[in-house]
Amino acid sequence: MSRPALQIIRDEHAAVAAVLRSLLQMMERTPDEQPERFFDVLRAMLFYIDEFPERRHHPKESDLLFPKIARVAPQLMPVIRRLEDDHMQGEGRVRELQHLLLAWELLGDSRREAFQQAAREYVEFYLSHMRVEETEILPTAVKMLSDADWAQLDEAFQQHRDPIATGSHDPVYDRLFTRIVMKTPAPIGVGPAF
């Protein structure tokens, strides 16, 4: 039986992972030649992470998926607690990255290492978080959740979908995604080199 929510979760995880890896690739470059464009791209990536995964994806997991898993697989409560803790930290961590990026942009290279270190740690944290969901939570969901559970999850996850994950057009976010894709140089995006 088709489980749209399962595919949406995986697609959204893939989209977030792509943006996170792009963020790391961008950090290997320097802002020297076009600093406005460089920082604009990084700001757009961090805004995306705050806007979609933190505000739209995580609440569906926390409010719907995790309680259903806890009900059918109580042995996974330590894993669920860890993931919930990650969700609670996530928004604060991305906001801290936004602040560190602004400090680097406005105060110069003396603030670069602080941003880069925090960004590397955040990417590792987030990729690990998604890996746990994909290897421990989702397989249990497939095996143990009822059709009624999946119907609720399908309905919830089909709302407010991530345009990067779906490749769909959402006029509200066109500017954001244009900024990420068109201004980021290849091979990360399709924009010209810095």
Side-chain angles (χ1 to χ4, degrees), residues 69-70 73-82 136-137 140-141 144:
I69 296 297
Q75 71 276 13
L76 287 179
M77 278 308 296
V79 173
I80 292 169
R81 280 190 201 99
R82 175 195 162 195
E136 298 195 41
I137 298 298
T140 301
M144 301 187 75

Side-chain angles (χ1 to χ4, degrees), residues 165-186:
T166 62
S168 63
H169 173 74
D170 183 340
V172 173
Y173 293 102
D174 279 353
R175 228 172 118 204
L176 172 64
F177 295 115
T178 297
R179 189 167 284 174
I180 292 173
V181 175
M182 300 306 284
K183 287 189 174 185
T184 306

Side-chain angles (χ1 to χ4, degrees), residues 93-107:
R93 288 183 80 163
V94 79
R95 295 274 165 74
E96 177 65 13
L97 278 177
Q98 290 168 326
H99 174 81
L100 291 170
L101 179 64
L102 188 60
W104 176 18
E105 181 179 13
L106 298 178
L107 302 177

Side-chain angles (χ1 to χ4, degrees), residues 16 48-59 126 162:
V16 172
Y48 159 79
I49 292 165
D50 188 37
E51 184 74 7
F52 283 96
E54 293 297 337
R55 294 176 188 238
R56 296 186 180 202
H57 181 88
H58 290 170
Y126 208 124
D162 178 342

